């Protein structure tokens, strides 16, 4: 043992082995008796023992605060270290007590090395702290960081390469080192049961600036006889990570309970009981002769490594590490799908009595909107500025409930009745007026009452209103309309997420719902707490559902949400239920924050991006309202009292970030209308009889000849449009190919013979579609027929589906090309001008970058398949070669906002297949 390879921590410059530095001496250390644990213990399998036989030992010696320390280190090289493109180090740290030592992480080492990590495990000196003499009461904490940074230097860990797996005091040492200098450390770290008394200065800033975060894990007991740790000891760090204003970017919190080890853990396990376990193993390494050794389930490993290996979060979301610094409206964007409002609560009597300072100031902006958006300033007592943001509207304390309703929810009631989903949130610290805004006192009611009276006033006779009312408390949903306990899981239903077993009721009046909601409010109280307390620590969601009469399908939903208080509740000393509640509220609000940030990032990078809706039941339930199919209003509530300044800044920052969320609202009303129109058109259809695939239709302009196939207007149909002249014969091949695949096709012989007849042809086409009962057929246009199709789509956008445009004029082989040139020596100069010049108002394109197309295609909208035969002088061009032909194709395709597809080798059957596949 011990004669194996050295530790390679940087493959970029060849093999680097740890070295001594000025401040720390590193000596090789031969494995001693205690190391026999790694080679002999029954707990390890053969693969692990084989790996451990290559273990290298060092001892690091250093002097801190006048005391000499020596720390044993054990190192393992990554599997395929030389091939690994980047070097990564898993630094395994642990507390130092009677039942723990570096063996703690030993079952993690094999998967770590297989994942391409070099492993460095060490024993920190001292007991009860990372550095410091056992029993010493002096504060050594500042030296802990120094100790670890000295070691990083000896290990010559390249910048950003050390991922930390640390438990207890080891994690404290890491946090202190990271706060001092984050350079050697990677972006993601797994910390367990870290009881840090005070979060070191600089930690938050360093995490933010490096796009780093922490997975904080908490488990009180790994085996029944283990003395419990107080999980609440984690609250300093969890308060930082779960502070809603961080938008969940600094990390997350996983709490779980090991199966059979009943601990006092106050919170429900977030992982199953064997996710990560631990047991006592005999080892001479530990003072007590045995040590706690961790084991992780395959699921757990997968989750941890996926987390640790992820690249750092991209720090530059626009300009700042923590996302945008300005609201979307301040940046000039009008965001109609996600509006953000601020409401300032007036000072309460008790606040007036103690003459609370006012820390908020509001002013109109000159943004050209009526009413103009407003700026809200947050100033502290010394009048230094703590925040400055512009929002759609800031409701000052004097604003009435009615005024707030009129600007926020009232416009949404119309949308809801017309089939659009809407979501209204109240967000903010406890006591800032969320419940007042949403429900309000009976004599001056809030949004719910006012919305309901407007809804019932305008409820169409063919629609019913149903409602549901739930509370989300400690990750449990409670049906507030029923006495029964517990609700089932959230499932993805037809109309979005649904809760299994939730009672839904049909309402005939506003007062009926209001009474049920008032009764529901009394169900919110639990035995232990009064109603107010539970309501501030839980989310309440009223869901209104509009349905067609006697139908089960939801037409549209309106979610009105009173969120739990966003204050940072995990203060030290909070234990038991309080700790569980606080942690839970903050976990769900940071999950909300992370969803918001992921949406912003995906929007900026124009990617789909993974949006972590699944991280919390709250975000799952409100998925539609956050980036989904809903119009959303966020009303962020703040108080002007100066003692809530930091909470107000936090709320305003959250609101500012959320203002960048863009929802994708489906216009059900528009869809409904289109369906109705379609039905009307179909109703007026005439019967077309074809004989031998040919027939005529009598229109105002005269009899129009049509070739093709016909069953009924209900079939998917493609209308073929040929060039000027012998239109129908040239389309015969394609008609046959479409008939062969049973696709309904009609090619009309239009009357136009010149460009000036374009609009009269379009009029004939519309009349033909009406006559046939075709609401929105697909159009195929060839050469001049392509121009007809584009013009038709522009004049009657709702009466044409997708377009397939093809250049046939220029499709030719070498012999045909030569013949053309012989007939017209100028052919090569005008080759691509033909009908397509119409896209450029009949002039030659000034450039090929697509600029300069004229008014003829201005504002064109629609999906187009653009077929173009790629060749030079009749010889097929290799794909991707830039030629005159490809440049023209690009320019013309760009005019209709698409890219060309090479059709040189396509047969009529190929084109038919494309048309069939391209129907809307
Ligand atoms: P939250 O739901 O955010 O915890 P509440 O809505 O319960 O806060 O409001 C806290 C207190 O402030 C309540 O007594 C409430 O009546 C009062 N309050 C809140 N907003 C207003 C307002 N705009 N005008 C008058 N009183 C208000
Ligand atoms: Mg409330």
């Amino acid at each position: 043992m011990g004669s194996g390879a050295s530790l390679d921590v940087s493959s970029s410059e060849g093999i680097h082995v740890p070295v001594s530095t000025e401040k720390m001496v590193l000596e090789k250390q031969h494995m001693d008796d205690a190391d026999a644990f790694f080679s002999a213990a029954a707990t390890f399998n053969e693969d692990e023992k084989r790996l451990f036989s290559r273990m290298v030992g060092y001892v690091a010696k250093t002097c801190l605060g006048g005391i000499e320390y020596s720390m044993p280190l054990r190192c393992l090289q990554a599997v395929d270290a030389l091939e690994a493109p980047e070097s990564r180090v898993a630094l395994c740290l642990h507390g130092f007590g009677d039942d723990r030592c570096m063996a703690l992480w030993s079952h993690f080492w094999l998967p770590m090395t297989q994942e391409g990590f070099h492993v460095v495990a060490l024993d920190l000196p001292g007991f009860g702290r990372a550095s410091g003499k056992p029993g010493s009461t002096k504060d050594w904490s500042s030296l802990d960081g120094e100790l670890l940074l000295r070691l990083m230097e000896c290990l010559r860990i390249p910048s950003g390469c050390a991922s930390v797996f640390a438990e207890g005091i080891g994690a404290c040492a890491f946090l202190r080192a990271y706060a001092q200098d984050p350079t050697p450390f990677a972006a993601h770290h797994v910390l367990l049961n870290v009881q840090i008394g005070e979060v070191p200065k600089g930690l938050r800033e360093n995490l933010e600036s490096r796009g780093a975060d922490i997975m904080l894990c908490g488990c009180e007991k790994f085996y029944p006889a283990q003395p419990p740790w107080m999980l609440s000891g984690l609250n300093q760090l969890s308060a930082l990570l779960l502070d809603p204003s961080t938008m969940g970017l600094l990390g997350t919190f996983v709490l779980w309970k090991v199966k059979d080890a009943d601990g006092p853990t106050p919170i429900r396990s977030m992982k199953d009981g064997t996710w990560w376990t631990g047991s006592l193993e005999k080892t001479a390494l530990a003072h007590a002769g045995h040590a706690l050794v961790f084991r992780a389930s395959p699921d757990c490993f997968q989750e941890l490594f996926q987390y640790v290996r992820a690249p750092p979060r991209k720090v530059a979301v626009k300009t700042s590490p923590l996302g945008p610094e300005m609201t979307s409206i301040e940046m000039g964007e009008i965001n109609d799908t996600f509006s953000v409002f601020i409401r300032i609560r007036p000072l309460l009597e008790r606040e007036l009595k103690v003459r609370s300072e006012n820390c908020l100031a509001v002013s109109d902006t000159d943004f050209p909107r009526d009413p103009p958006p407003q700026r809200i300033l947050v100033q502290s007592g010394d009048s230094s500025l703590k925040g400055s943001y512009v929002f759609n509207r800031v409701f000052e304390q004097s604003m009435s409930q009615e005024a707030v309703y009129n600007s926020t929810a009232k416009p949404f009631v119309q949308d809801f009745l017309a089939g659009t989903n809407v979501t209204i949130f109240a967000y903010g610290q406890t006591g800032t007026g969320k419940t007042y805004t949403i429900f309000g006192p009976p004599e001056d009611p809030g949004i719910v009452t006012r919305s309901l009276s407007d809804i019932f006033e305008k409820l169409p006779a063919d629609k019913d209103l149903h409602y549901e009312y739930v509370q989300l408390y400690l990750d449990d949903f409670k049906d507030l309309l029923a006495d029964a306990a517990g609700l089932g899981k959230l499932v993805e239903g037809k109309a979005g997420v649904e809760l299994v077993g939730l009672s839904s009721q049909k309402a005939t009046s506003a007062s009926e719902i209001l009474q049920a909601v008032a009764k529901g409010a009394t169900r919110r109280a639990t035995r232990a707490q009064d109603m107010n307390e539970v309501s501030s620590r839980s989310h309440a969601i009223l869901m209104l559902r509009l349905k067609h009469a006697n139908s089960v399908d939801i037409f549209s939903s309106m979610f009105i949400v009173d969120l739990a208080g966003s204050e940072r509740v995990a203060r030290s000393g909070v234990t038991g239920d309080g700790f569980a509640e606080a942690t839970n509220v903050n976990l769900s609000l940071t999950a909300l924050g992370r969803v918001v940030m992921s949406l912003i990032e995906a929007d900026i990078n124009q990617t789909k991006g993974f949006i972590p809706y699944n991280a919390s039941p709250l975000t799952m339930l409100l998925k539609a309202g956050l980036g989904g199919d809903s119009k959303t209003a966020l009303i962020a509530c703040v108080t002007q009292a100066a003692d809530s300044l930091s909470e107000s800044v936090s709320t305003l920052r959250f609101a500012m970030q959320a203002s960048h969320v863009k929802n994708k609202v489906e216009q059900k009303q528009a869809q409904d209308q289109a369906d109705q129109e379609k039905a009307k058109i179909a109703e007026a259809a005439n019967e077309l009889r074809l004989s031998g695939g040919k027939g005529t239709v009598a229109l105002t302009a005269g009899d129009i000849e049509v070739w093709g196939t016909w069953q009924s207007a209900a079939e998917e149909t493609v209308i073929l449009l040929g060039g000027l002249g012998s239109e129908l014969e040239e389309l015969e091949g394609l008609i046959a190919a479409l008939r062969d695949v049973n696709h309904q096709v009609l090619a009309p012989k239009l009357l136009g013979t010149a460009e000036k007849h374009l609009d009269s042809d379009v009029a004939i086409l519309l009349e033909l579609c009406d006559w046939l009962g075709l609401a929105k057929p697909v159009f195929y246009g060839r050469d001049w027929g392509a121009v007809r199709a584009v013009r038709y789509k522009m004049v009657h956008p709702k009466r044409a589906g997708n377009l397939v445009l093809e250049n046939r004029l220029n499709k030719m082989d070498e012999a045909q090309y030569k013949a053309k040139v012989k007939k017209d020596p100028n052919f090569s100069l005008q080759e691509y001008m033909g009908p397509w010049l119409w896209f450029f108002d009949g002039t030659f394109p000034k450039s090929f970058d697509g600029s300069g197309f004229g008014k003829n295609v201005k504002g064109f909208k629609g999906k187009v398949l653009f077929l173009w035969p790629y060749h030079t002088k009749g010889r097929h061009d290799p794909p991707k070669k830039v030629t005159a032909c490809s440049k023209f194709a690009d320019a013309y395709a760009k005019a209709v906002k698409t890219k060309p597809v090479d059709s040189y080798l396509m047969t009529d059957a190929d084109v038919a297949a494309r048309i069939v596949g391209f129907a809307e």
Side-chain angles (χ1 to χ4, degrees):
M1 262 225 225
S3 58
S6 307
L7 177 74
D8 165 25
V9 289
S10 165
S11 53
S12 60
E13 299 173 56
I15 307 258
H16 276 211
V17 293
V19 293
S20 296
T21 61
E22 247 172 61
K23 292 177 183 154
M24 186 176 262
V25 176
L26 211 62
E27 289 168 3
K28 267 221 154 149
Q29 189 187 41
H30 287 288
M31 301 289 135
D32 55 26
D33 289 351
D35 287 300
F37 174 70
F38 297 118
S39 58
T43 182
F44 299 115
N45 65 31
E46 288 312 307
D47 288 342
E48 287 177 317
K49 284 181 187 158
R50 206 167 309 122
L51 172 76
F52 299 162
S53 71
R54 295 195 294 271
M55 190 183 284
V56 185
Y58 291 91
V59 58
K61 295 183 175 163
T62 195
C63 178
L64 272 174
I67 300 173
E68 296 281 344
Y69 294 104
S70 68
M71 301 179 288
L73 244 65
R74 294 295 177 265
C75 305
L76 289 164
Q77 208 166 24
V79 172
D80 294 333
L82 292 175
E83 271 131 63
E86 80 273 60
S87 61
R88 289 167 172 272
V89 174
L91 187 66
C92 300
L93 304 172
H94 51 86
F96 190 70
D98 278 355
D99 61 348
R100 61 203 61 214
C101 66
M102 66 168 80
L104 189 83
W105 297 98
S106 50
H107 282 300
F108 282 58
W109 295 345
L110 181 63
M112 280 170 176
T113 58
Q114 286 167 340
E115 285 283 326
F117 287 89
H118 304 295
V119 173
V120 176
L122 66 139
D123 279 348
L124 290 162
F127 177 69
R129 56 174 53 89
S131 57
K133 217 174 182 173
S136 160
T137 52
K138 264 176 85 180
D139 174 25
W140 287 83
S141 53
S142 64
L143 298 179
D144 293 341
E146 173 68 20
L147 185 84
L148 212 51
L149 289 171
R150 284 183 186 183
L151 183 70
M152 295 290 100
E153 208 185 326
C154 288
L155 293 171
R156 299 210 269 171
I157 290 180
S159 167
C161 283
S163 306
V164 174
F165 289 77
E167 179 253 351
I169 286 297
C172 295
F174 159 67
L175 293 172
R176 287 168 188 144
Y178 194 91
Q180 236 168 294
D181 178 11
T183 319
F185 300 104
H188 310 288
H189 308 283
V190 177
L191 307 185
L192 174 84
N193 287 353
V194 39
Q195 318 261 319
I196 197 155
E198 200 172 300
V199 171
K201 242 183 137 158
L203 176 67
R204 176 178 178 153
E205 291 75 9
N206 286 345
L207 287 171
E208 283 175 3
S209 68
R210 297 179 71 89
D213 55 28
I214 289 167
M215 184 192 281
L216 178 59
C217 299
C219 180
E220 290 215 277
K221 276 184 159 198
F222 284 95
Y223 53 92
Q226 186 182 25
W229 286 100
M230 283 317 292
L231 266 185
S232 53
L234 276 66
N235 63 27
Q236 289 296 337
L237 187 58
S238 69
L240 168 69
L241 303 183
L242 303 185
D243 179 341
S245 72
T246 67
M247 309 299 280
L249 295 182
L250 301 188
T252 181
F253 197 0
V254 181
L255 287 167
W256 80 102
K257 228 173 196 169
V258 172
K259 201 165 155 247
D260 301 331
D262 265 349
T265 309
I267 201 160
R268 199 171 57 184
S269 206
M270 293 165 66
K271 297 287 175 188
D272 78 63
T274 53
W275 186 64
W276 178 346
T277 59
S279 57
L280 272 192
E281 305 275 349
K282 253 188 151 42
T283 165
L285 279 165
H287 291 180
H290 52 249
L292 177 60
V293 178
F294 287 154
R295 282 173 187 277
S297 65
D299 277 358
C300 177
F301 274 131
Q302 208 194 352
E303 189 168 343
L304 299 185
F305 285 123
Q306 202 172 18
Y307 166 73
V308 169
R309 294 205 68 114
R313 173 167 48 78
K314 277 203 204 73
V315 167
V317 177
K318 299 218 167 125
T319 49
S320 135
L322 278 183
E325 283 300 323
M326 280 191 246
T327 59
S328 66
I329 201 152
E330 190 170 8
M331 290 166 81
E333 296 165 25
I334 292 174
N335 185 351
D336 285 328
T337 58
F338 203 111
S339 325
V340 179
F341 303 91
I342 307 297
R343 185 175 201 189
I344 303 172
R345 164 173 74 62
L347 289 178
L348 302 175
E349 222 158 273
R350 64 176 151 80
E351 288 167 327
L352 286 169
K353 259 190 214 143
V354 298
R355 288 168 196 254
S356 271
E357 296 274 344
N358 180 3
C359 68
L360 302 176
V362 181
S363 57
D364 280 356
T365 62
D366 54 10
F367 197 85
R369 266 206 135 180
D370 185 28
Q374 289 166 310
R375 181 177 293 281
I376 179 164
L377 298 175
V378 192
Q379 281 160 325
S380 66
D382 57 6
S383 58
S384 63
L385 193 65
K386 299 293 177 196
S388 165
Y389 304 103
V390 175
F391 290 97
N392 291 39
R393 202 84 206 127
V394 179
F395 302 111
E396 291 183 74
Q397 46 174 319
S398 56
M399 294 297 271
S400 66
Q401 293 278 72
E402 187 183 5
V404 171
Y405 169 72
N406 285 347
S407 309
T408 57
K410 194 179 171 87
F412 280 10
V413 168
Q414 305 293 335
D415 291 316
F416 171 58
L417 291 171
T420 302
N421 295 330
V422 302
T423 308
I424 296 161
F425 284 106
Y427 180 98
Q429 177 196 355
T430 297
T432 50
K434 294 182 298 299
T435 305
Y436 187 89
T437 300
I438 296 292
F439 296 103
E443 67 280 8
D444 192 10
I447 283 172
V448 167
T449 308
R450 293 170 199 270
S451 299
L452 287 173
S453 75
D454 276 358
I455 289 170
F456 278 102
E457 194 174 301
K458 294 181 191 127
L459 188 68
D462 64 340
K463 301 255 170 39
D464 290 338
L465 188 72
H466 297 246
Y467 65 104
E468 294 142 25
Y469 188 34
V470 284
Q471 167 184 275
L472 178 57
Y473 174 67
L474 289 182
D475 280 357
D476 280 323
F477 287 102
K478 183 170 178 179
D479 190 341
L480 294 178
L481 297 182
D483 287 323
L487 271 178
K489 276 201 314 219
L490 278 174
V491 292
E492 197 85 37
K494 253 206 296 198
V497 180
E498 289 167 21
L499 255 170
V500 176
L502 182 60
S503 54
S504 181
Q505 292 176 18
K506 187 171 137 182
T508 49
S509 70
S511 62
E512 186 186 330
I513 300 184
L514 292 173
Q515 269 169 26
V517 163
K519 180 142 188 251
T522 63
R523 291 196 177 94
R524 294 187 73 173
T526 63
R527 232 175 308 125
Q529 289 124 324
D530 75 59
M531 204 171 79
N532 268 343
E533 214 166 304
V534 176
S535 98
S536 69
R537 300 276 174 88
S538 66
H539 315 287
I541 305 123
L542 177 67
M543 304 187 261
L544 304 176
R545 313 279 197 180
L546 207 57
K547 297 182 182 182
H548 286 288
N550 306 319
S551 160
V552 287
D553 291 344
I554 294 169
F555 179 63
S556 54
S557 302
M558 180 165 184
F559 282 20
I560 307 180
V561 187
D562 185 10
L563 288 173
S566 65
E567 60 277 6
R568 203 201 266 182
V569 240
R571 296 204 184 93
S572 62
V574 182
T575 53
D577 290 349
F579 175 73
E581 282 179 344
T583 302
N584 197 283
V585 166
N586 289 15
L587 269 171
S588 63
L589 292 176
T590 46
L592 196 66
R594 258 197 304 280
V595 164
V596 166
M597 295 314 282
S598 309
L599 287 167
I600 296 175
E601 235 176 78
D603 184 50
I604 287 172
N605 302 327
Q606 291 292 306
T607 55
K608 262 195 136 172
F610 172 72
I611 313 297
Y613 290 111
N614 286 351
S616 134
L618 180 69
T619 46
M620 280 161 86
L621 185 69
L622 301 176
K623 196 169 164 183
L626 299 160
D629 175 17
S630 165
K631 278 195 177 181
T632 297
L634 176 78
I635 306 171
C637 300
V638 292
T639 141
Q640 53 175 256
D643 57 1
S644 292
L645 181 138
S646 76
E647 308 283 10
S648 299
V649 172
S650 161
T651 298
L652 293 174
R653 274 197 70 82
F654 182 91
M656 178 270 292
Q657 313 262 27
S659 74
H660 292 270
V661 170
K662 296 193 179 75
N663 287 0
K664 300 171 255 335
V665 183
E666 247 181 61
Q667 299 293 347
K668 247 193 229 133
Q669 191 183 27
Q671 184 59 47
D672 258 23
Q673 230 167 20
D675 287 348
Q676 277 170 17
E677 273 166 33
K678 199 172 160 181
K680 237 198 252 160
I681 292 165
E683 245 168 58
N686 295 283
E687 207 176 318
L688 173 67
R689 284 183 200 279
L690 297 179
S691 105
K694 296 182 183 177
T696 52
V697 177
L699 302 179
T700 4
D703 280 358
I704 299 293
E705 189 180 355
V706 290
W707 291 10
T709 60
W710 188 257
Q711 282 195 333
S712 82
E715 299 282 304
E716 251 177 37
T717 307
V718 53
I719 303 284
L720 304 189
L721 303 175
L724 293 171
S726 58
E727 289 156 18
L728 299 185
E729 286 76 11
E730 74 177 31
L731 293 169
E732 255 182 316
L734 188 55
I735 292 173
L738 283 158
R739 189 179 47 222
D740 288 349
V741 292
N742 284 325
H743 199 81
Q744 185 158 286
V745 52
L746 272 189
K749 182 165 171 60
L750 298 173
L751 302 176
T753 53
E755 179 172 348
K756 63 179 179 207
H757 302 133
L758 188 55
D759 281 342
S760 53
D761 280 348
V762 164
I764 292 172
L765 270 177
L766 181 66
E767 201 186 341
L768 175 70
C769 289
D770 283 344
W771 193 93
L772 293 166
L774 292 174
K776 223 177 168 189
V778 169
F779 281 81
Y780 164 92
R782 176 181 295 179
D783 304 318
W784 186 252
V787 171
R788 286 169 164 161
V790 170
R791 178 69 186 168
Y792 179 84
K793 175 84 180 169
M794 292 190 65
V795 182
H796 307 293
K798 285 185 180 159
R799 297 300 305 276
N802 295 339
L803 307 186
V804 179
L805 309 180
E806 183 180 8
N807 176 349
R808 270 291 170 100
L809 272 182
N810 294 99
K811 189 163 171 175
M812 58 192 81
D813 60 21
E814 259 185 292
Q816 288 166 321
Y817 187 85
K818 279 191 185 138
K820 287 246 186 211
V821 176
K822 206 169 162 193
K823 213 170 132 200
D824 174 7
N826 285 332
F827 177 71
S828 65
L829 290 176
Q830 306 160 352
E831 206 176 329
Y832 299 108
M833 295 189 186
W836 307 94
L837 279 190
W838 179 83
F839 288 4
F840 289 83
D841 292 351
T843 60
F844 187 73
K846 287 179 201 65
S847 70
F848 288 111
D849 63 2
S851 61
F853 24 82
K855 60 181 186 322
N856 282 343
V857 287
K858 198 165 171 232
F860 174 85
K861 268 198 201 139
K863 238 171 107 187
V864 177
L865 174 65
F866 201 87
L867 304 175
W868 196 269
Y870 279 53
H871 69 88
T872 303
K873 297 183 178 175
R875 248 179 277 161
H876 188 209
D877 288 328
K880 288 195 184 152
K881 195 180 158 200
V882 177
T883 61
C885 168
S886 76
K887 282 186 184 172
F888 275 103
D890 283 346
Y892 291 131
K894 213 165 188 171
V896 284
K897 301 182 176 122
T898 187
K899 292 214 162 71
V901 173
D902 181 12
S903 61
Y904 190 79
L905 301 175
M906 284 185 189
T907 61
D908 276 332
D910 294 333
V911 175
R914 291 289 191 131
I915 291 172
V916 172
F918 200 60
E920 235 176 355

